[in-house]
Amino acid sequence: MSRTLKQFLTALLGGFVALSLVLLVHAQDQSGFISIDCGLPENSSYVESTTGINYISDAAFIDNIGESKLMLPEYRKFYREPYISLRSFPQGIRNCYKINVTSGTKYLIRALFYYGNYDGQSKLPEFELHLGLNLWGSVTFEKASTPPSTPFQEKELIHVPLRSYIHVCLVNTGSGVPFISAIELRPLPNASYPTQTPKESLALDWRYDTGQIAPFTSYKYPKDIHDRFWEPFEREDLTQIGTSSALNLGSNTLYQVPSGVMCTAAMPKLASVPLNFSWPHADNNESYYMYMHFAEVQKLQANQSRQMYVTKNGEPFIEPFTPKYLYTTTVDSGAMSGGINNFSIFTAKNSVLSPILNAIEMYMVKQFLQSETNQEDGKQFFLRQAFIT
């Protein structure tokens, strides 16, 4: 998924304007975490001050050491420490990180690219990111920004490695020098984010805390035990409601959306209209999974009720249900085709209150058909393919 400083989630009644979460993520438990600061001097490590996450140097994970670089000074104070340093690879077509993992474990794998005009050229590169021999995605940036903003990309994947290692590779496509700022792996419950086949992985399209309308601050950001980035959004036709009480995970024990996300929700300003949304980059040739997270955050009176149902392109999608008070329920869409997908959350008959939505995630299915192999074989395979094409 491509994330820039501003993203747009189109909707029938308006567009979400998302402000990317650059700075502030908190983790409660680092069991199984792998946090690599690319460009950090060899044998170095540190504990990141705002998250408490331990980062290590990338030097032990690569054969081609590349070049260790830093954002220019005018950018550095605005970004967390893992994103200030980076490693660029001016030599070679394909440069890979080999990272040991636990085979059969589901991971959130995140690759981060923060430019910070590290080369003083104000010229943004384009290159490819591969998982082993498989294309994960293209890394592209919007035009250069002035401090404190910098062009950046974050690619996130939910993937189950079948071997005891993975290769995260940068491929030079002739449009500038590849670089990378950080690589982060977070284990997930194996039953979460299910797919139809074991060879399917999920690339994050977007993830929103729909009850938040402004960038989080370090003392307000909801702790996520899987260190997921939840982006706030705002839309003129919606308003936000919330509670100061903690929420029960409920049926959400698989997805473990933090209470700090679920304690707020979005709802239409006009009680007579549904909550409508769609998304802008749904490829007709791709499949997607959507996860909607619901919880009642208002203590309803005896004469109040909130019952909702969801339609997709005007057809029934989720039967009428009532979100439970301080109790999280996650609805999994199953595999959906791309193209035009318009969703509406309606108030059911005899329901008094407007529909709500606390959080939502969207992923594109990635078919990684080439199995992992050793790095040198991968280089030879890639070079043969490049020659053939």
Side-chain angles (χ1 to χ4, degrees):
M1 178 200 71
S2 173
R3 298 203 328 163
T4 56
L5 287 177
K6 289 188 178 179
Q7 293 179 307
F8 298 93
L9 173 61
T10 60
L12 297 177
L13 297 181
F16 293 138
V17 179
L19 298 175
S20 290
L21 178 59
V22 176
L23 302 178
L24 306 159
V25 180
H26 288 264
Q28 295 172 320
D29 181 4
Q30 296 183 51
S31 300
F33 279 25
I34 301 173
S35 306
I36 302 171
D37 183 337
C38 301
L40 193 67
E42 188 174 3
N43 298 321
S44 298
S45 66
Y46 62 89
V47 175
E48 206 283 319
S49 60
T50 62
T51 65
I53 294 176
N54 183 63
Y55 282 82
I56 58 177
S57 168
D58 64 333
F61 298 92
I62 51 177
D63 292 328
N64 176 8
I65 203 66
E67 296 182 1
S68 179
K69 300 288 185 178
L70 294 171
M71 288 180 170
L72 292 187
E74 56 264 35
Y75 293 92
R76 295 175 198 169
K77 67 179 180 180
F78 300 103
Y79 292 90
R80 288 172 47 210
E81 190 171 354
Y83 312 144
I84 292 174
S85 62
L86 58 94
R87 193 172 300 277
S88 66
F89 296 95
Q91 303 298 321
I93 296 176
R94 177 183 174 89
N95 288 283
C96 295
Y97 288 82
K98 183 179 180 180
I99 304 170
N100 291 332
V101 295
T102 303
S103 63
T105 294
K106 184 166 289 186
Y107 284 92
L108 181 156
I109 307 172
R110 190 159 52 221
L112 303 106
F113 310 85
Y114 285 74
Y115 179 57
N117 200 20
Y118 76 91
D119 53 5
Q121 300 297 311
S122 298
K123 186 176 181 180
L124 299 171
E126 296 182 7
F127 50 93
E128 289 182 352
L129 176 67
H130 288 204
L131 187 68
L133 301 178
N134 300 281
L135 176 65
W136 178 348
S138 296
V139 180
T140 60
F141 303 87
E142 290 189 353
K143 65 180 181 179
S145 304
T146 57
S149 299
T150 185
F152 72 97
Q153 268 274 19
E154 293 167 358
K155 297 286 188 180
E156 188 175 305
L157 188 71
I158 294 175
H159 176 71
V160 180
L162 300 181
R163 294 179 180 264
S164 60
Y165 58 87
I166 61 169
H167 285 121
V168 175
C169 303
L170 307 181
V171 177
N172 190 324
T173 58
S175 299
V177 175
F179 75 91
I180 188 166
S181 302
I183 303 173
E184 301 169 344
L185 284 80
R186 312 293 186 238
L188 298 170
N190 272 22
S192 66
Y193 301 103
T195 56
Q196 291 182 325
T197 72
K199 287 193 174 182
E200 289 184 343
S201 299
L202 298 176
L204 181 65
D205 208 9
W206 38 261
R207 181 188 294 121
Y208 289 104
D209 176 353
T210 50
Q212 290 285 348
I213 62 174
F216 300 116
T217 61
S218 58
Y219 62 91
K220 291 171 62 179
Y221 189 77
K223 290 184 177 180
D224 188 320
I225 64 172
H226 301 303
D227 191 27
R228 289 165 294 193
F229 293 173
W230 294 88
E231 296 187 29
F233 78 97
E234 59 183 332
R235 220 174 85 184
E236 291 184 356
D237 63 315
L238 299 180
T239 189
Q240 283 70 37
I241 58 174
T243 180
S244 58
S245 301
L247 270 76
N248 189 310
L249 284 175
S251 67
N252 194 39
T253 51
L254 285 180
Y255 301 99
Q256 298 173 307
V257 180
S259 178
V261 169
M262 295 303 301
C263 70
T264 58
M267 70 178 187
K269 288 181 178 178
L270 298 177
S272 59
V273 300
L275 196 165
N276 300 309
F277 62 93
S278 60
W279 71 96
H281 303 301
D283 191 317
N284 286 320
N285 299 316
E286 303 293 348
S287 296
Y288 295 81
Y289 284 81
M290 179 176 65
Y291 303 88
M292 290 184 285
H293 308 288
F294 298 95
E296 179 61 72
V297 295
Q298 292 182 318
K299 185 68 173 176
L300 305 186
Q301 303 300 314
N303 62 344
Q304 293 179 312
S305 63
R306 193 192 314 274
Q307 190 177 44
M308 313 180 299
Y309 65 95
V310 183
T311 64
K312 173 188 172 185
N313 295 332
E315 299 295 326
F317 184 68
I318 301 173
E319 295 297 319
F321 71 99
T322 298
K324 296 181 181 180
Y325 180 57
L326 302 183
Y327 188 97
T328 299
T329 299
T330 294
V331 177
D332 175 356
S333 71
M336 304 183 299
S337 60
I340 298 174
N341 283 291
N342 297 318
F343 294 87
S344 296
I345 307 177
F346 286 91
T347 299
K349 285 185 178 181
N350 304 319
S351 181
V352 175
L353 300 176
S354 297
I356 60 173
L357 177 63
N358 303 68
I360 186 169
E361 304 175 74
M362 185 70 72
Y363 296 84
M364 185 175 73
V365 175
K366 302 289 289 187
Q367 296 277 1
F368 291 151
L369 302 180
Q370 295 289 340
S371 61
E372 276 283 1
T373 184
N374 70 64
Q375 185 172 337
E376 190 58 37
D377 287 347
K379 288 181 180 178
Q380 295 303 319
F381 174 88
F382 179 80
L383 290 172
R384 288 197 302 272
Q385 293 300 105
F387 179 77
I388 292 170
T389 56

